[in-house]
PDB file of all heavy atoms in Angstrom:
ATOM      1  N   ASP B 324      33.540  -4.706 -27.072  1.00 98.00           N
ATOM      2  CA  ASP B 324      34.314  -3.742 -27.873  1.00 98.00           C
ATOM      3  C   ASP B 324      35.324  -4.470 -28.739  1.00 98.00           C
ATOM      4  O   ASP B 324      35.525  -4.156 -29.913  1.00 98.00           O
ATOM      5  CB  ASP B 324      35.021  -2.736 -26.949  1.00 98.00           C
ATOM      6  CG  ASP B 324      34.029  -1.767 -26.346  1.00 98.00           C
ATOM      7  OD1 ASP B 324      33.386  -1.029 -27.106  1.00 98.00           O
ATOM      8  OD2 ASP B 324      33.862  -1.781 -25.107  1.00 98.00           O
ATOM      9  N   ASP B 325      35.950  -5.495 -28.140  1.00 98.00           N
ATOM     10  CA  ASP B 325      36.946  -6.247 -28.893  1.00 98.00           C
ATOM     11  C   ASP B 325      36.275  -7.133 -29.946  1.00 98.00           C
ATOM     12  O   ASP B 325      36.801  -7.302 -31.048  1.00 98.00           O
ATOM     13  CB  ASP B 325      37.804  -7.093 -27.947  1.00 98.00           C
ATOM     14  CG  ASP B 325      39.169  -7.385 -28.565  1.00 98.00           C
ATOM     15  OD1 ASP B 325      39.773  -6.443 -29.127  1.00 98.00           O
ATOM     16  OD2 ASP B 325      39.600  -8.545 -28.529  1.00 98.00           O
ATOM     17  N   ILE B 326      35.109  -7.672 -29.598  1.00 98.00           N
ATOM     18  CA  ILE B 326      34.358  -8.487 -30.557  1.00 98.00           C
ATOM     19  C   ILE B 326      33.981  -7.623 -31.764  1.00 98.00           C
ATOM     20  O   ILE B 326      34.137  -8.037 -32.920  1.00 98.00           O
ATOM     21  CB  ILE B 326      33.089  -9.087 -29.893  1.00 98.00           C
ATOM     22  CG1 ILE B 326      33.480 -10.096 -28.794  1.00 98.00           C
ATOM     23  CG2 ILE B 326      32.196  -9.761 -30.930  1.00 98.00           C
ATOM     24  CD1 ILE B 326      32.317 -10.598 -27.944  1.00 98.00           C
ATOM     25  N   ASP B 327      33.553  -6.414 -31.479  1.00 98.00           N
ATOM     26  CA  ASP B 327      33.163  -5.487 -32.545  1.00 98.00           C
ATOM     27  C   ASP B 327      34.359  -5.150 -33.433  1.00 98.00           C
ATOM     28  O   ASP B 327      34.263  -5.126 -34.661  1.00 98.00           O
ATOM     29  CB  ASP B 327      32.570  -4.221 -31.906  1.00 98.00           C
ATOM     30  CG  ASP B 327      31.915  -3.323 -32.955  1.00 98.00           C
ATOM     31  OD1 ASP B 327      31.122  -3.831 -33.761  1.00 98.00           O
ATOM     32  OD2 ASP B 327      32.218  -2.116 -32.965  1.00 98.00           O
ATOM     33  N   ARG B 328      35.481  -4.909 -32.783  1.00 98.00           N
ATOM     34  CA  ARG B 328      36.704  -4.612 -33.548  1.00 98.00           C
ATOM     35  C   ARG B 328      37.069  -5.780 -34.465  1.00 98.00           C
ATOM     36  O   ARG B 328      37.348  -5.610 -35.654  1.00 98.00           O
ATOM     37  CB  ARG B 328      37.879  -4.335 -32.579  1.00 98.00           C
ATOM     38  CG  ARG B 328      39.233  -4.190 -33.282  1.00 98.00           C
ATOM     39  CD  ARG B 328      40.422  -4.397 -32.344  1.00 98.00           C
ATOM     40  NE  ARG B 328      40.416  -5.673 -31.657  1.00 98.00           N
ATOM     41  CZ  ARG B 328      40.834  -6.823 -32.206  1.00 98.00           C
ATOM     42  NH1 ARG B 328      41.309  -6.848 -33.440  1.00 98.00           N
ATOM     43  NH2 ARG B 328      40.794  -7.945 -31.511  1.00 98.00           N
ATOM     44  N   ALA B 329      37.023  -6.995 -33.910  1.00 98.00           N
ATOM     45  CA  ALA B 329      37.448  -8.173 -34.676  1.00 98.00           C
ATOM     46  C   ALA B 329      36.526  -8.419 -35.872  1.00 98.00           C
ATOM     47  O   ALA B 329      36.992  -8.663 -36.989  1.00 98.00           O
ATOM     48  CB  ALA B 329      37.461  -9.401 -33.759  1.00 98.00           C
ATOM     49  N   PHE B 330      35.215  -8.347 -35.638  1.00 98.00           N
ATOM     50  CA  PHE B 330      34.294  -8.625 -36.748  1.00 98.00           C
ATOM     51  C   PHE B 330      34.279  -7.486 -37.772  1.00 98.00           C
ATOM     52  O   PHE B 330      34.023  -7.718 -38.957  1.00 98.00           O
ATOM     53  CB  PHE B 330      32.880  -8.917 -36.223  1.00 98.00           C
ATOM     54  CG  PHE B 330      32.723 -10.352 -35.758  1.00 98.00           C
ATOM     55  CD1 PHE B 330      32.788 -10.675 -34.412  1.00 98.00           C
ATOM     56  CD2 PHE B 330      32.541 -11.375 -36.680  1.00 98.00           C
ATOM     57  CE1 PHE B 330      32.664 -11.987 -33.986  1.00 98.00           C
ATOM     58  CE2 PHE B 330      32.410 -12.697 -36.266  1.00 98.00           C
ATOM     59  CZ  PHE B 330      32.479 -13.016 -34.914  1.00 98.00           C
ATOM     60  N   THR B 331      34.580  -6.261 -37.326  1.00 98.00           N
ATOM     61  CA  THR B 331      34.685  -5.161 -38.279  1.00 98.00           C
ATOM     62  C   THR B 331      35.882  -5.390 -39.193  1.00 98.00           C
ATOM     63  O   THR B 331      35.803  -5.207 -40.419  1.00 98.00           O
ATOM     64  CB  THR B 331      34.813  -3.809 -37.529  1.00 98.00           C
ATOM     65  OG1 THR B 331      33.669  -3.670 -36.689  1.00 98.00           O
ATOM     66  CG2 THR B 331      34.881  -2.643 -38.497  1.00 98.00           C
ATOM     67  N   GLU B 332      36.979  -5.835 -38.590  1.00 98.00           N
ATOM     68  CA  GLU B 332      38.159  -6.165 -39.407  1.00 98.00           C
ATOM     69  C   GLU B 332      37.834  -7.327 -40.354  1.00 98.00           C
ATOM     70  O   GLU B 332      38.196  -7.308 -41.535  1.00 98.00           O
ATOM     71  CB  GLU B 332      39.344  -6.537 -38.509  1.00 98.00           C
ATOM     72  CG  GLU B 332      40.613  -6.869 -39.314  1.00 98.00           C
ATOM     73  CD  GLU B 332      41.809  -7.243 -38.429  1.00 98.00           C
ATOM     74  OE1 GLU B 332      41.855  -6.792 -37.265  1.00 98.00           O
ATOM     75  OE2 GLU B 332      42.673  -7.997 -38.919  1.00 98.00           O
ATOM     76  N   ALA B 333      37.116  -8.333 -39.829  1.00 98.00           N
ATOM     77  CA  ALA B 333      36.757  -9.498 -40.653  1.00 98.00           C
ATOM     78  C   ALA B 333      35.957  -9.067 -41.876  1.00 98.00           C
ATOM     79  O   ALA B 333      36.154  -9.576 -42.983  1.00 98.00           O
ATOM     80  CB  ALA B 333      35.967 -10.507 -39.827  1.00 98.00           C
ATOM     81  N   SER B 334      35.063  -8.097 -41.677  1.00 98.00           N
ATOM     82  CA  SER B 334      34.216  -7.632 -42.782  1.00 98.00           C
ATOM     83  C   SER B 334      35.004  -6.894 -43.849  1.00 98.00           C
ATOM     84  O   SER B 334      34.568  -6.799 -44.996  1.00 98.00           O
ATOM     85  CB  SER B 334      33.118  -6.702 -42.243  1.00 98.00           C
ATOM     86  OG  SER B 334      32.256  -7.421 -41.405  1.00 98.00           O
ATOM     87  N   SER B 335      36.159  -6.366 -43.468  1.00 98.00           N
ATOM     88  CA  SER B 335      36.951  -5.588 -44.421  1.00 98.00           C
ATOM     89  C   SER B 335      37.776  -6.482 -45.354  1.00 98.00           C
ATOM     90  O   SER B 335      38.365  -6.018 -46.313  1.00 98.00           O
ATOM     91  CB  SER B 335      37.890  -4.632 -43.670  1.00 98.00           C
ATOM     92  OG  SER B 335      38.941  -5.364 -43.061  1.00 98.00           O
ATOM     93  N   VAL B 336      37.836  -7.760 -45.039  1.00 98.00           N
ATOM     94  CA  VAL B 336      38.628  -8.692 -45.855  1.00 98.00           C
ATOM     95  C   VAL B 336      37.704  -9.430 -46.813  1.00 98.00           C
ATOM     96  O   VAL B 336      36.737 -10.057 -46.386  1.00 98.00           O
ATOM     97  CB  VAL B 336      39.369  -9.711 -44.954  1.00 98.00           C
ATOM     98  CG1 VAL B 336      40.171 -10.693 -45.805  1.00 98.00           C
ATOM     99  CG2 VAL B 336      40.275  -8.986 -43.968  1.00 98.00           C
ATOM    100  N   ASN B 337      37.980  -9.333 -48.097  1.00 97.00           N
ATOM    101  CA  ASN B 337      37.090  -9.958 -49.079  1.00 97.00           C
ATOM    102  C   ASN B 337      37.781 -10.930 -50.017  1.00 97.00           C
ATOM    103  O   ASN B 337      37.138 -11.595 -50.821  1.00 97.00           O
ATOM    104  CB  ASN B 337      36.395  -8.881 -49.913  1.00 97.00           C
ATOM    105  CG  ASN B 337      35.481  -8.022 -49.067  1.00 97.00           C
ATOM    106  OD1 ASN B 337      34.622  -8.546 -48.362  1.00 97.00           O
ATOM    107  ND2 ASN B 337      35.684  -6.720 -49.099  1.00 97.00           N
ATOM    108  N   ASP B 338      39.099 -11.003 -49.938  1.00 97.00           N
ATOM    109  CA  ASP B 338      39.826 -11.812 -50.918  1.00 97.00           C
ATOM    110  C   ASP B 338      40.315 -13.138 -50.361  1.00 97.00           C
ATOM    111  O   ASP B 338      40.918 -13.933 -51.075  1.00 97.00           O
ATOM    112  CB  ASP B 338      41.007 -11.014 -51.483  1.00 97.00           C
ATOM    113  CG  ASP B 338      41.986 -10.575 -50.401  1.00 97.00           C
ATOM    114  OD1 ASP B 338      41.607 -10.614 -49.200  1.00 97.00           O
ATOM    115  OD2 ASP B 338      43.116 -10.202 -50.747  1.00 97.00           O
ATOM    116  N   LYS B 339      40.071 -13.381 -49.091  1.00 98.00           N
ATOM    117  CA  LYS B 339      40.479 -14.661 -48.496  1.00 98.00           C
ATOM    118  C   LYS B 339      39.595 -14.952 -47.286  1.00 98.00           C
ATOM    119  O   LYS B 339      39.005 -14.038 -46.705  1.00 98.00           O
ATOM    120  CB  LYS B 339      41.953 -14.645 -48.092  1.00 98.00           C
ATOM    121  CG  LYS B 339      42.358 -13.484 -47.193  1.00 98.00           C
ATOM    122  CD  LYS B 339      43.732 -13.699 -46.576  1.00 98.00           C
ATOM    123  CE  LYS B 339      44.890 -13.388 -47.503  1.00 98.00           C
ATOM    124  NZ  LYS B 339      46.183 -13.390 -46.801  1.00 98.00           N
ATOM    125  N   PRO B 340      39.492 -16.226 -46.905  1.00 98.00           N
ATOM    126  CA  PRO B 340      38.678 -16.542 -45.726  1.00 98.00           C
ATOM    127  C   PRO B 340      39.302 -15.950 -44.468  1.00 98.00           C
ATOM    128  O   PRO B 340      40.522 -15.760 -44.401  1.00 98.00           O
ATOM    129  CB  PRO B 340      38.688 -18.076 -45.690  1.00 98.00           C
ATOM    130  CG  PRO B 340      39.907 -18.478 -46.461  1.00 98.00           C
ATOM    131  CD  PRO B 340      40.099 -17.428 -47.511  1.00 98.00           C
ATOM    132  N   VAL B 341      38.443 -15.658 -43.523  1.00 98.00           N
ATOM    133  CA  VAL B 341      38.895 -15.036 -42.278  1.00 98.00           C
ATOM    134  C   VAL B 341      38.617 -15.974 -41.109  1.00 98.00           C
ATOM    135  O   VAL B 341      37.546 -16.575 -41.028  1.00 98.00           O
ATOM    136  CB  VAL B 341      38.141 -13.708 -42.029  1.00 98.00           C
ATOM    137  CG1 VAL B 341      38.571 -13.084 -40.696  1.00 98.00           C
ATOM    138  CG2 VAL B 341      38.362 -12.734 -43.174  1.00 98.00           C
TER     139      VAL B 341
END
Side-chain angles (χ1 to χ4, degrees):
Chain B
D324 288 298
D325 205 44
I326 294 172
D327 190 49
R328 173 200 57 81
F330 278 100
T331 302
E332 181 180 334
S334 295
S335 72
V336 179
N337 296 307
D338 59 344
K339 53 167 79 170
V341 178

